[in-house]
Amino acid sequence: MFENPYLCSDECDASNPDLAHPPQLMQDRERGGLITYWQTVTWSRFPEPLLANISLSWNKSLELTDDVVVTFEYGRPTVMVLDKSLDKGRTWQPYQFYADDCMEAFGMPSKRVQDLSATNLTRVICTEQYSRWVGSKNEKNVRFEVRARFSVFAGPKMMNTDSLYTRMETMKGLRDFFTFTNLRLRLLRPALGGTYVQKDNLLKYFYAISNIEVPARCRCNLHAGQCSVREGSLQCDCEHNTTGEDCSRCQRGFKAKSWKPGSYLPTPSGTPNACETAGTLGNCECYGHSNRCSYIDFINVVTCVSCKHNTRGQNCQSCRLGYFRNMSLELDDENVCIECNCNQQGSLHARCNESGFCECKDGTTGQKCDSCTDGYSWMVGCVANVCDDDLSPCQNGGTCVDKRRCVCSEGYKGVQCQTLSCEGMRGCRRANTASSSSSSLPLLILASLLGSATLRAAV
């Protein structure tokens, strides 16, 4: 029976550096001599799947420049997936599927990069090219083919770089296809060494990787020739008066024109699209919200034209009506103007003051005019309460409903049930006679007192 020459012996111990197989061994470079490699546990729990994830993080946007190559010691996986992330590992998307049978493993037909054309070059494919058992220890590498994709435009010998650069510039999504911040290998089934699993020898199945090569450059939007490690992370050495993690914005004082990435065109030198100072645009500072100025002859004024990012004014220094300035941001920030978002039912108009407070209708309050003051209730805007439990109760035993109307007891009517239903008719009396007699008693006493006072005065 063929045994695995790389099988970890009983002395394998992850806590002992001399007997361990840590992930760092996938990153070292062997220049002859003993090969070092990372290794998982064996498939002792078959038929439970033997799964392993390997994540690579750079905390920076990168662009592939050549093939990604993963070297497996003794047997390439029969099923695996290469994933990529564009947001530092928060979300993932498949880059390529690998299987000895693509239809069985992923429900996809098998393809090779050579089968792709210029119109579908960014399609995610499943390939069987690197997963089938070939019976040779020399077949160790699994590739994500970048150069073959480049050659679709540049030719087999990469001689027509003008065509490649033109496509990079004009073909939607092409540059983003080669861009990533993280890569992840999902190992789903190890090399079987044949067509079935030998259940009596499960220790021969595992994953072992000696090298992972990722040829890439920092994505700096063609505004940097290189990047370096600063403050513990990769950062572009920005040029052309740009700044930011990917040189993705203009430096302060160089925002007279809106930021643009550098261009490959025209070849061979390309266009830097450098950020410019206000002096290069006729001495007019538009804070990066416009790249055009106009001279108004009869008042001798240069003004910015077509201000963007919801700004307005001679220098795009103010916010459009319906927006207010975010004071925590610089005036040249694209998000400096925030929408007022005044409630249409509660506000007089869509404008707000410099603090973002809208002008509210009577009875309405709040920054967006979306709540009511005391004595008002929200009914497609704030409406004065007809009744409530304290200040304006329904009279004569009436019941308040939704603070909008009184449901009156029998014999009463009116907004607050304050009127007898028979008022104006002969013999009309209140329904509660006891209450009526009691309420008239003070009047009788008052009349008696007044009569006595008049009599004494006459004497």
Side-chain angles (χ1 to χ4, degrees):
M1 181 181 298
F2 183 77
E3 294 295 341
N4 180 4
Y6 299 98
L7 183 61
C8 194
S9 69
D10 293 337
E11 295 180 351
C12 181
D13 185 355
S15 64
N16 186 335
D18 296 328
L19 300 175
H21 295 269
Q24 291 85 344
L25 296 180
M26 294 185 284
Q27 302 174 12
D28 61 351
R29 290 182 175 273
E30 286 90 7
R31 303 183 184 279
L34 183 66
I35 295 177
T36 58
Y37 57 92
W38 163 86
Q39 179 179 317
T40 65
V41 297
T42 57
W43 204 0
S44 58
R45 295 185 178 181
F46 177 87
E48 179 182 325
L50 182 60
L51 308 177
N53 283 356
I54 302 167
S55 298
L56 307 173
S57 174
W58 289 268
N59 200 34
K60 172 75 181 71
S61 295
L62 304 177
E63 294 178 314
L64 290 173
T65 58
D66 211 328
D67 293 0
V68 176
V69 182
V70 184
T71 303
F72 288 87
E73 296 299 326
Y74 184 68
R76 300 176 293 191
T78 53
V79 181
M80 65 170 275
V81 182
L82 175 64
D83 293 326
K84 78 166 183 176
S85 174
L86 289 166
D87 54 13
K88 300 180 180 180
R90 288 187 290 273
T91 60
W92 296 89
Q93 59 193 69
Y95 227 167
Q96 189 153 302
F97 297 93
Y98 300 82
D100 57 351
D101 188 330
C102 284
M103 190 59 69
E104 177 187 8
F106 300 111
M108 301 171 62
S110 174
K111 281 187 177 294
R112 299 187 307 167
V113 173
Q114 290 86 339
D115 300 327
L116 300 176
S117 65
T119 58
N120 64 1
L121 195 62
T122 59
R123 176 180 296 176
V124 176
I125 64 171
C126 178
T127 180
E128 298 175 355
Q129 187 174 356
Y130 302 103
S131 304
R132 289 181 172 172
W133 178 256
V134 293
S136 171
K137 290 186 295 182
N138 295 324
E139 295 292 340
K140 297 181 177 183
N141 293 336
V142 173
R143 291 180 177 271
F144 178 72
E145 296 163 296
V146 173
R147 181 171 289 268
R149 287 177 166 88
F150 287 162
S151 67
V152 172
F153 303 121
K157 297 183 179 181
M158 301 293 293
M159 300 295 290
N160 190 5
T161 55
D162 284 5
S163 175
L164 174 60
Y165 290 146
T166 300
R167 290 283 188 162
M168 283 287 191
E169 197 74 31
T170 59
M171 184 174 173
K172 184 178 180 181
L174 185 59
R175 286 186 66 183
D176 288 341
F177 179 77
F178 297 106
T179 300
F180 62 97
T181 60
N182 302 62
L183 293 178
R184 180 175 68 184
L185 287 172
R186 285 190 285 140
L187 310 178
L188 306 180
R189 192 169 68 208
L192 301 182
T195 58
Y196 63 94
V197 177
Q198 297 180 13
K199 299 179 183 179
D200 58 345
N201 192 20
L202 295 174
L203 296 180
K204 67 183 291 186
Y205 303 113
F206 56 88
Y207 307 106
I209 298 177
S210 58
N211 278 307
I212 298 179
E213 299 179 26
V214 183
R217 66 184 178 192
C218 289
R219 178 159 185 172
C220 302
N221 288 293
L222 300 184
H223 286 308
Q226 62 181 16
C227 59
S228 55
V229 178
R230 298 195 299 276
E231 301 175 357
S233 63
L234 281 172
Q235 298 183 31
C236 297
D237 299 332
C238 297
E239 304 171 5
H240 309 149
N241 305 317
T242 62
T243 187
E245 181 179 338
D246 299 333
C247 306
S248 56
R249 64 180 188 273
C250 293
Q251 292 180 10
R252 190 171 185 179
F254 291 88
K255 299 187 177 182
K257 289 178 62 178
S258 296
W259 177 90
K260 290 177 63 177
S263 174
Y264 289 110
L265 304 177
T267 59
S269 301
T271 305
N273 290 327
C275 295
E276 300 180 10
T277 62
T280 61
L281 286 181
N283 197 28
C284 178
E285 169 65 82
C286 300
Y287 298 102
H289 303 304
S290 174
N291 55 12
R292 292 194 299 125
C293 293
S294 176
Y295 176 66
I296 304 175
D297 189 20
F298 69 94
I299 57 174
N300 193 30
V301 167
V302 177
T303 183
C304 302
V305 176
S306 301
C307 294
K308 297 184 294 186
H309 312 136
N310 303 307
T311 62
R312 64 184 177 92
Q314 180 180 348
N315 301 102
C316 303
Q317 79 281 9
S318 303
C319 292
R320 288 172 46 197
L321 296 179
Y323 291 80
F324 69 102
R325 180 179 172 183
N326 184 346
M327 300 303 293
S328 65
L329 299 178
E330 297 290 341
L331 191 54
D332 53 19
D333 195 288
E334 292 185 3
N335 300 307
V336 68
C337 290
I338 307 172
E339 190 171 4
C340 294
N341 280 326
C342 300
N343 187 285
Q344 295 181 1
Q345 285 79 34
S347 61
L348 293 173
H349 43 67
R351 301 187 298 276
C352 57
N353 65 17
E354 60 185 14
S355 300
F357 281 85
C358 305
E359 188 173 356
C360 300
K361 297 177 181 177
D362 290 342
T364 310
T365 188
Q367 182 175 358
K368 308 301 181 185
C369 302
D370 52 4
S371 57
C372 298
T373 59
D374 290 342
Y376 287 79
S377 298
W378 190 270
M379 300 285 291
V380 192
C382 293
V383 181
N385 297 339
V386 169
C387 56
D388 56 37
D389 295 332
D390 300 318
L391 298 178
S392 302
C394 299
Q395 301 178 26
N396 300 306
T399 303
C400 185
V401 177
D402 297 331
K403 298 184 180 182
R404 297 299 307 128
R405 63 190 181 92
C406 290
V407 178
C408 299
S409 301
E410 183 179 357
Y412 292 92
K413 64 181 180 178
V415 174
Q416 291 185 299
C417 305
Q418 74 278 17
T419 307
L420 286 167
S421 300
C422 62
E423 189 169 288
M425 301 168 58
R426 179 173 297 181
C428 181
R429 297 181 60 191
R430 294 182 180 271
N432 190 338
T433 56
S435 175
S436 175
S437 301
S438 174
S439 61
S440 63
L441 181 60
L443 296 176
L444 295 174
I445 295 173
L446 180 60
S448 175
L449 290 175
L450 288 174
S452 299
T454 301
L455 179 63
R456 285 196 295 270
V459 174

